[in-house]
Amino acid sequence: MIIGGSASQALAAEVARELNDKLCSVETKKFPDGERYFRIKDEIDEDEPVTIIQSTGYPQDENMMELFFILDTLGDMNVKNITLVSPYLGYSRQERRFKEVECISAKATAKLIQTMGVKHLVSINLHEESICDLYDIPVDNLSAMPAIADYIRINYPEKKPIILAPDKGAENFAKEIATLLNTDYDYLEKVRLSPEKVKTKTKSISVDNRSVIIVDDIISTGGTIVNAINILKLQGAKAVDVVCVHPVLVNDAVLKINAAGANSVQGTNTLKSEVANISVAKTIAEHLKNL
Ligand code: R5P
């Protein structure tokens, strides 16, 4: 039985179709004062394994609260075997203390998720692998890169684009996609020329007259990508396209990226978004099959 929370209902339906599993009929709504409501409309046997699919991106608190309502309802039904698939796990960016006595929000949410009865957590390209250590239950951190590579193979005319990470932190994503597509990859690095001067450039490959696809895990304000596009254009890139796993996209990020000169911006459906054209349903379904 698969339950889709309101942040991920379409994705849950796709996963259920892939697995030939039942999609639970639920009722979700928001009261005029903003509070959420949740009801399960199908019969669920208490011994039946249940998978909840719910991303906890914007509005994070509402989606997180709805997730707790789903878990509490399943608890009342005595359902014990609960897997949570949270393709985008909110609050993951505060996974450690950057300043004294800050709340480690990723740890606080981990505590709640476990206490509410989740026995296994599955997510996609968690912000940091170390988030898994905040949990006492098994956590599987899947990669959306094979789905992204398939999308690039089918939809981009250039057969050998350079796959480029906007910073060192995203190098592994670029490497994974480039390996699958049998093409080159690189990342942008900052080089300090003097105490006052910093230059950002590609690490080793020239982008002059080449098509480049920038890949990152998250696009939030778009600042990182706009900066990368500006550098690539200055260095003579022929065309620049952008793909990401989690299209958080705040403050007109897509507009800014397009204005900087990108041909296209695409993301996966870990979050609902105007650019979420790459589905991770198969990635999730294949993994659930093997659990
Ligand atoms: C950073 O660790 C991430 O990989 C992204 O590069 C970052 O979250 C993007 O943020 P923004 O779009 O606001 O530059």
Side-chain angles (χ1 to χ4, degrees), residues 41-286:
K41 289 160 74 183
D42 273 328
E43 295 267 311
I44 304 181
D45 189 277
E46 59 182 52
D47 297 318
E48 199 173 339
V50 171
T51 297
I52 303 167
I53 304 187
Q54 169 83 323
S55 276
T56 50
Y58 183 81
Q60 293 85 346
D61 300 347
E62 283 186 26
N63 288 326
M64 198 65 90
M65 193 51 84
E66 187 188 82
L67 170 63
F68 298 144
F69 290 173
I70 301 172
L71 287 166
D72 195 56
T73 314
L74 290 173
D76 288 346
M77 295 166 93
N78 273 327
V79 174
K80 285 163 225 64
N81 187 350
I82 303 173
T83 296
L84 167 63
V85 179
S86 191
Y88 178 82
L89 191 61
Y91 288 110
S92 292
R93 289 204 266 183
Q94 179 90 38
E95 89 291 358
R96 65 194 158 94
R97 211 159 257 143
F98 299 90
K99 286 187 197 151
E100 272 178 43
V101 210
E102 269 179 347
C103 173
I104 304 173
S105 349
K107 178 165 74 66
T109 47
K111 256 190 215 165
L112 286 166
I113 286 171
Q114 295 184 132
T115 312
M116 299 288 297
V118 173
K119 296 289 184 305
H120 200 131
L121 173 65
V122 179
S123 189
I124 298 194
N125 294 110
L126 282 164
H127 181 58
E128 292 287 344
E129 192 67 38
S130 62
I131 290 164
C132 302
D133 303 335
L134 300 174
Y135 288 79
D136 299 321
I137 53 171
V139 181
D140 304 330
N141 183 19
L142 311 185
S143 171
M145 300 313 149
I148 293 178
D150 280 348
Y151 185 89
I152 293 174
R153 194 180 289 117
I154 295 165
N155 292 285
Y156 292 84
E158 174 75 49
K159 290 293 160 237
K160 291 265 178 196
I162 297 178
I163 310 298
L164 188 104
D167 52 37
K168 178 92 175 95
E171 185 192 4
N172 277 341
F173 307 137
K175 182 178 178 186
E176 196 179 336
I177 294 177
T179 307
L180 290 164
L181 296 176
N182 191 24
T183 188
D184 306 324
Y185 74 95
D186 203 351
Y187 65 91
L188 289 178
E189 68 163 4
K190 277 187 191 156
V191 186
R192 185 158 293 283
L193 302 175
S194 71
E196 297 81 32
K197 249 187 164 181
V198 167
K199 188 179 172 195
T200 309
K201 61 176 197 61
T202 43
K203 173 86 176 96
S204 42
I205 298 175
S206 163
V207 295
D208 190 28
N209 210 26
R210 301 262 326 249
S211 293
V212 180
I213 299 181
I214 305 175
V215 60
D216 207 350
D217 56 347
I218 297 174
I219 301 178
S220 181
T221 62
T224 306
I225 299 292
V226 167
N227 185 39
I229 294 171
N230 290 338
I231 293 158
L232 293 173
K233 291 272 172 185
L234 276 177
Q235 294 182 0
K238 186 168 67 176
V240 182
D241 291 271
V242 178
V243 283
C244 71
V245 181
H246 307 298
V248 172
L249 304 178
V250 295
N251 302 345
D252 291 326
V254 174
L255 220 65
K256 287 181 204 153
I257 292 170
N258 286 333
N263 282 343
S264 66
V265 185
Q266 296 294 345
T268 79
N269 56 352
T270 59
L271 290 168
K272 284 189 213 166
S273 151
E274 58 189 297
V275 306
N277 294 316
I278 307 172
S279 181
V280 288
K282 281 203 172 95
T283 309
I284 294 169
E286 283 304 315

